[in-house]
Each structure stands twice: as C-alpha cells, then as structure tokens.
C-alpha cells in the first residue's frame, strides 16, 4: 500500500532519520535496495559514501535549476505490506520501487534524465522512497495522478507476488490516525489515538440511538464534548466531537466531525439508522439472547436476497449489530467481540448505494434493539446464555463474507473473514466457560491413601501432556500433536495442572462441549476453550473466596482434603481493556 507523505525541503534530514534508529529503535538494518543509478553506493555498506554525500547528489538537479527553486522539493513515499503477507526480498522490493517511480512520473523507464531517487529498507514489511522533484534536464516532472497510478501498480504486484489483495478507491477504507496523532498518544501514554477513541464511542452511540436527541445524549453520556452545527432555519446539519483535555498547541479543543471519523458517521449517514425504528415488544432479560439469536439466524438466511442495494443495507445493519454485541457482551469474550467489530467495520461499508429497506436489515436492527435494551439491564455476565447468539452471529458474518465475494468486494470479504475468526474464538471461549460451570470433578482418594498404595504424586507440570491428549481426545490426538498450536495447548494444560485441576478431565470436558471435526485447527480451538475454562473458574473462585484447587476438591463427590496448589493470581484487567478504555479515562 503506497502512502505519499507531505513534500519537504530537507533531503539530508529525511535520510538521516531513515538510516537512524527511529523514534523507538524500530529501525533495523537500514540499507539501500534500489536507486535511480544502479551503481550508487549505499551509505550503510560503503565507507566512501556518507548520508550527507548522498543527499547532496540527490539535491544536485534541484540546485542546478535556473531561476527560483521549488520550496518543497523532497518527494517521499512509504510502501508497506500488511502483517499477514510474506516478507519480500530486497530484489522484489527493488522491482516495486522502480515500477512505482515509473508510474508516478518521477523516473520513467528508459528516461535517463528523470528525477533522482533512492529506496531505503529498515524493516521487513516496508520501504521508503525518497526523490527530488527536479529532472536532470532542468525540467519539472509530471506527477499528476501519481498516487492513483502507484496504487494501480501495487494491485498488480499483489497478484504477482501472491499477497493479500486490497481494493483502493472505493471510499470504504478506515480513516487511520495521522503520524502526529499517534505521536501525541504515545507522549501521553495512551494505547490509542483520540481519533480511534472517538470513532469507537460515536459508532457505539450511533448503533444504539433511536433519534437525534438520543444520539447526542449518548455522546454526552460517553464523556465526549459535542458541538452541533445548526443552520439558520434551526435544523441540525452536522456535529463534531472532542475528548476532554485533548487540545492543540494553541490550547484549543481538537474537534473531529463525524465524516472525519468515518464515512458512515456523518450525521446524514447516522440518521439512516433510525429512519425506521424497529418496534419490539418487551423481552425478559433472561430471554433476550435467545430472541436475538433467532432473529439473527433468520436474517443470515435472507442477507442480500433482495439484490445488490438491499445487500449493502443488510451488511451495514449487521455491522451495527456486532458493535452492540461488543458493548453488551460478557466480560470473558468482550475483547474478542470488540476486535471483531473493529475488523467488520470495513465489511459493513459496501461500495454501492444502500437500500434502507429489507427483511434482513430489519431483523438485524431488531436484534440490536433487543440486546441494547434488555441484555444491558441484566444477564450481561451470563456467558453461557450468549453462546447460541454468538454462533448465530458467526453464521451471519460468514453469510456477509460470501455475499461480498459474490459481488467481488475483496477488501470487504477479507474484513468479514477476519471478523468471523475473532467471533469463532469468542464462541470457543464461551464453550469453555460453559463447560467449567457444569464441571464436577471425579471422586478421588485422599493423597495419604494414594501414597500408601505406592502411587507417586506427580509434581505440577511433571506429567507428559502428550499422554493427556491421547487420553482425553484420542480421535484427535495425532492431529493435535502435529499442530503448530500444540505448544500453546501444552502450556495451558500445564497451568491447569498447577492450578490443582486434573488436565485430562478438564480437556475431556471442554472437548465434549462442542464438536471438533469441523475445526481447521483442533489444537487452537482447545486452547480457546481452555482460556474460557480458566476465566470462568477464576470468576467462580473469586465469588466463593476459594482458589481453583480448593473449589475442585470441594466439588460434588469430593471427600478428601484439597490438594496443595499455588493460589491463582488475582484476576487482572486484560490489556485490551486498557486499549479500549472509554473517553472518560483518556486524560
């Protein structure tokens, strides 16, 4: 993905930064991968070339220009691959750099009078191209539509190199924080920028609001500063939000309009959500998850059945439903669903006009309304009750992925796929928590009796975990032990044994909770379920004031004293909660 930076006037300063350690020592092995002249020496590899020398050589055509020199002559493009792509070689990056400079009009192929440029690599996943905007024949380069042309080249390389294929120019991409915003958040010790915090808070308010007044009230309740743009006739035509305490250099609040946060958060787009508020009857809190599950399953079967424009409206409503689910989700899976809502955001914006009518859209809106009004009041922490709904939500997201693929919306289909994976993780964590709630340890002989019988008590972590897998899930043992996720599963089983539980019994219990034959990675699924198990046991232990080993020994059928085990560490707030903390905590 090529990203063009603002033009500058300090070639030497930019080169020293690219070859330096970076702002947080993130630059590793900076070196030249390509240049306008294949014989140019690399300052990192040659004692005869310094960064100052290279800057002077690059700037020479600029200083040779007759008349007034351009005030901003440094042309800078960063080209980055997403983390899931394979690592390109220096030779491949060199090809990319040359083709991009040709497409941009900086250095056309076969033109030995083009601009001078270099490509610097200081990380596995990206390069920086630095050029000077002055041709060697004294003319200015024609760089009209340069970024569009470079993106066309990037799309071709994605196919050739087998990389993740992106869609550019459909106006649905997420508005990412700027460099200055990220640096400001880092100085304040925050894990996300003000823009990202505002995006999430406004999206949550929009997904649950039913009117203008309700929307603005929810923004205020979330701790945001709100400005309404009011026309001369008294109508509200827009809004801006800011975080308390977030100010610029002149001590003025930093305001973001809805459209600056995201394409679907402008006031007209937000209002689409309540043009037709779903009428739902009163639903008991205990039944809300089940009611929402039924509606989501019905909607998934009808998604896109009414045509292209109706499908675009359906996926938009599904995006709001995932956002609401993240707000009301049980704590054990809240992080996964929040991440899924973030990933699905792109999938909720189809690059076509939306129909605001449709059966699936109405069912998704009704489900969101049921959850926001009923589950938030009670049953929020009931992980087991949410399991059926999460399974239905996985089905709905998968249906949206297939619909996007049928319409050749590649970026949206990839986003739906990533969201679906996170939701499947939430399902398995929920299944593990449900197994923990119903688990009853087997009756065991007291430790003294076992010792007298000549049985040696294995110390925590001493039992071979491969044998535990063969005992608990014999049908899947071979695949599990060969899976890349096996070390993570072994670590989970070892920790469960240290907590005083029998890892074979626990693994058998979580494996029996749901089928495993359709899993792409049985080991990974079991890891997720054991995570849910440990979260649930930690909650139960905190509620009873016992550690997990004591709870196991005192369970149904337990007659002996509790086995000695380490007390579990206090339940800690997961790091993602810090990352997703609300606006009121950003000061």
């Amino acid at each position: 993905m090529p990203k063009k930076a603002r033009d500058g006037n300090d070639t030497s300063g930019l080169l020293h930064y690219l070859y330096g350690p970076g702002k947080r020592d993130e630059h590793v092995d900076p070196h030249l991968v390509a240049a306008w002249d294949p014989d140019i020496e690399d300052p990192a590899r040659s004692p005869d070339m310094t960064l100052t020398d290279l800057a002077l050589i690059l700037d020479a055509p600029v200083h040779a220009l007759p008349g007034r020199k351009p005030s901003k002559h440094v042309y800078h493009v960063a080209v980055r691959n997403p983390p899931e792509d394979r690592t390109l070689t220096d030779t491949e990056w060199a090809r990319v750099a040359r083709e991009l400079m040709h497409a941009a009009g900086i250095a056309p192929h076969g033109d030995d009078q083009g601009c001078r440029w270099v490509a610097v690599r200081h990380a596995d996943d990206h390069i920086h191209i630095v050029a000077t905007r002055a041709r060697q024949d004294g003319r200015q380069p024609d760089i009209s539509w340069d970024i569009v042309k470079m993106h066309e080249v990037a799309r071709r390389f994605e196919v050739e190199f087998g990389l993740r294929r992106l869609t550019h120019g459909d106006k649905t991409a997420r508005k990412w924080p700027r460099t200055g915003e990220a640096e400001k958040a880092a100085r304040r010790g925050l894990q996300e920028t003000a823009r990202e915090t505002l995006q999430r808070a406004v999206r949550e308010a929009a997904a649950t609001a039913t009117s203008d007044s309700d929307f603005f009230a929810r923004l205020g309740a979330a701790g945001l500063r709100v400005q309404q743009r009011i026309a001369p006739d008294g109508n509200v035509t827009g809004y801006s939000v800011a975080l308390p305490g977030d100010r610029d250099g002149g001590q003025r609040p930093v305001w973001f309009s809805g459209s600056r946060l995201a394409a679907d958060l402008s006031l007209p787009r937000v209002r689409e959500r309540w043009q037709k508020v779903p009428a739902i009857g009163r639903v008991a809190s205990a039944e809300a998850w089940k009611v929402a599950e039924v509606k989501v399953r019905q909607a998934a079967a009808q998604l896109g059945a009414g045509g292209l424009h109706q499908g675009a409206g359906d996926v938009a409503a599904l995006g709001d439903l995932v956002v609401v689910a993240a707000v009301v989700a049980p704590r054990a899976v809240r992080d996964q669903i929040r991440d899924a809502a973030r990933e699905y955001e792109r999938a909720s914006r189809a690059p076509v006009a939306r129909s605001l009518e449709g059966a699936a859209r109405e069912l998704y809106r009704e489900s969101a309304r049921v959850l926001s009004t009923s589950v938030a009041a009670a049953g929020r922490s009931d992980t087991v009750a949410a399991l059926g709904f999460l399974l239905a939500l996985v089905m709905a997201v998968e249906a949206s992925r297939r619909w996007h693929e049928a319409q050749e919306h590649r970026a949206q289909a990839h986003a739906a796929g990533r969201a679906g994976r996170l939701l499947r993780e939430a399902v398995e964590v929920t299944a593990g928590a449900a197994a923990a709630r119903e688990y009853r340890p087997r009756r065991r002989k007291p430790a003294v009796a076992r010792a007298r019988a000549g049985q040696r008590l294995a110390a925590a972590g001493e039992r071979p975990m491969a044998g535990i897998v063969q005992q608990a899930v014999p049908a899947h043992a071979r695949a599990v032990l060969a899976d890349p996720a096996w070390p993570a599963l072994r670590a989970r089983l070892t920790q469960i044994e240290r907590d005083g539980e029998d890892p074979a019994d626990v693994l058998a219990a979580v494996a029996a909770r749901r089928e495993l034959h359709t899993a792409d990675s049985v080991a990974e699924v079991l890891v997720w379920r054991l995570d849910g198990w440990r979260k649930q046991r930690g909650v139960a232990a905190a509620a009873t004031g016992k550690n997990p080993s004591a709870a196991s020994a005192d369970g149904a059928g337990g007659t002996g004293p509790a086995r000695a085990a380490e007390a579990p560490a206090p339940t800690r707030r997961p790091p993602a909660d810090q990352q997703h903390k609300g606006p009121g905590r950003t000061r």
Side-chain angles (χ1 to χ4, degrees), residues 84-85 158 163-167 343-344 346-347 397 400-402 404-405 409-421:
E84 58 267 29
D85 279 350
E158 288 165 0
L163 308 177
R164 172 184 162 194
R165 298 179 64 185
L166 304 179
T167 300
E343 290 290 354
Y344 193 79
R346 180 78 182 268
V397 170
S400 74
R401 186 190 65 80
R402 292 195 300 269
H404 279 303
E405 284 187 341
H409 301 156
R410 291 194 302 271
Q412 286 79 4
H414 282 302
R418 294 192 299 273
R421 174 180 169 80

Side-chain angles (χ1 to χ4, degrees), residues 104 205 268 330 333 547:
V333 293
N547 63 38

Side-chain angles (χ1 to χ4, degrees), residues 329-338 383 390 426-427 429-430 535:
R331 181 174 295 277
V333 293
R334 199 174 303 163
D335 293 337
Q336 288 91 342
I337 303 179
R338 277 177 170 169
T383 309
L390 292 177
V427 165
V429 171
T430 304
K535 287 180 180 180

Side-chain angles (χ1 to χ4, degrees), residues 105 153 179 279 284 522 533:
V153 171
T179 303
V522 175
W533 171 283

Side-chain angles (χ1 to χ4, degrees), residues 502-522:
D502 188 315
D505 287 354
V506 171
L507 187 60
V510 298
R513 185 65 192 183
R514 292 186 66 240
E515 59 86 19
L516 291 168
H517 292 85
T518 59
D520 294 332
S521 168
V522 175

Side-chain angles (χ1 to χ4, degrees), residues 296-305 307-308 310-322 340-341 343-352 360-361 364 391-421 423-424:
V296 171
R297 290 185 182 276
Q298 293 173 351
Q302 301 179 44
L303 191 148
L308 178 63
Q310 191 176 102
D314 294 343
V315 296
L318 177 57
D320 283 344
L321 175 60
V322 181
E343 290 290 354
Y344 193 79
E345 183 183 321
R346 180 78 182 268
S348 68
R349 295 192 288 265
V352 294
R361 179 183 174 92
Y364 287 140
L391 285 167
L393 198 58
V394 170
M395 179 189 302
V397 170
E398 176 61 20
S400 74
R401 186 190 65 80
R402 292 195 300 269
W403 180 81
H404 279 303
E405 284 187 341
Q407 310 306 321
E408 297 186 355
H409 301 156
R410 291 194 302 271
Q412 286 79 4
H414 282 302
R418 294 192 299 273
R421 174 180 169 80
L423 288 172
R424 285 192 292 274

Side-chain angles (χ1 to χ4, degrees), residues 2-66:
K3 182 178 180 182
K4 184 179 174 182
R6 293 180 181 177
D7 291 339
N9 56 16
D10 186 1
T11 307
S12 178
L14 179 55
L15 288 176
H16 276 84
Y17 168 74
L18 296 178
Y19 274 88
K23 296 183 178 179
R24 289 173 291 276
D25 296 323
E26 70 272 24
H27 296 177
V28 179
D29 186 26
H31 59 280
L32 216 62
V33 295
W36 84 98
D37 182 351
D39 296 325
I40 198 74
E41 293 182 284
D42 184 357
R45 308 287 168 84
S46 172
D48 298 327
M49 177 70 74
T50 67
L51 291 174
T52 302
D53 293 337
L54 181 58
L56 289 173
I57 296 172
L58 285 168
D59 284 341
V62 178
H63 297 309
L65 287 174

